Amino acid sequence: MNGSPRLLPLLVIAALGLAACKDDKPASAKADPANPHAVDESKPLEVGDAAPDVTLKLTDGKEVKLSSLKGKQVLVYFYPKDDTPGCTVEAQGLRDGWADIQAAGLEVYGVSTQDAESHKAFIEKHKLPFPLVVDTDGAVTKAFRVPTRLSFAARQSFLIGKDGKIKHVWLEVDPKEHASTVIAAAKS
């Protein structure tokens, strides 16, 4: 067959892509009809849900328990990888809107699965005024029910209100517009 040797790598890539997209959550993560109070971990967090009480490990080794921030509005934003185009644009937008973010009384924590050294370099290179969370084991990502692909978190954000409940959820984020959208939501 003419051209089939070039087609084989494309078919392999397509098959791997489909395998990565399959729902591989264990049955135990699904809602349990016998227990109406069970949490369906396959569904995204929603407005009104309590924010997960996770410990955020920062690049300087400090740890912040999310529940200790009750009384403040907190943005926890997830991004795939340090210093990639979309992630850089998103972080720079938050940096450039920092005065408005502070005026809105908002604390910001960026989360991805890279290590502390990668985060430190990203913070330094782009002069980020907010901390990044080291989530190499994916515990924070999992607690917020953010999907991952090839160990990279999806670009999603959660605005937590002063009461510790989710105030706004962005399951699809436009990196260029995210800062202004977050600031508007924090002021509302």
Side-chain angles (χ1 to χ4, degrees), residues 66 74-78 109 111 140 144 156-160:
L66 195 53
V74 179
L75 174 70
V76 179
Y77 85 95
F78 293 83
Y109 293 89
V111 183
V140 176
F144 274 85
Q156 295 186 353
S157 293
F158 302 85
L159 179 60
I160 302 165

Side-chain angles (χ1 to χ4, degrees), residues 71-110:
K72 300 177 182 182
Q73 289 193 94
V74 179
L75 174 70
V76 179
Y77 85 95
F78 293 83
Y79 63 98
K81 190 174 180 191
D82 293 334
D83 219 22
T84 55
C87 300
T88 299
V89 166
E90 184 177 18
Q92 288 174 337
L94 292 166
R95 176 201 65 200
D96 295 347
W98 193 245
D100 291 331
I101 287 170
Q102 287 186 307
L106 188 57
E107 299 234 356
V108 175
Y109 293 89

Side-chain angles (χ1 to χ4, degrees), residues 111-177:
V111 183
S112 76
T113 57
Q114 282 73 58
D115 63 21
E117 292 309 309
S118 178
H119 284 348
K120 285 177 187 176
F122 190 45
I123 289 168
E124 188 174 309
K125 181 177 181 180
H126 298 288
K127 312 255 184 283
L128 303 181
F130 51 86
L132 298 179
V133 176
V134 179
D135 191 32
T136 53
D137 64 0
V140 176
T141 302
K142 183 177 180 182
F144 274 85
R145 302 186 208 156
V146 173
T148 58
R149 179 169 294 165
L150 302 175
S151 81
F152 296 113
R155 189 180 315 280
Q156 295 186 353
S157 293
F158 302 85
L159 179 60
I160 302 165
K162 293 178 180 182
D163 61 358
K165 293 187 178 184
I166 304 293
K167 180 177 177 180
H168 199 93
V169 176
W170 292 271
L171 298 179
E172 306 237 347
V173 173
D174 178 347
K176 293 178 186 173
E177 303 296 324

Side-chain angles (χ1 to χ4, degrees), residues 176-188:
K176 293 178 186 173
E177 303 296 324
H178 195 48
S180 60
T181 305
V182 166
I183 293 165
K187 289 180 178 178
S188 67

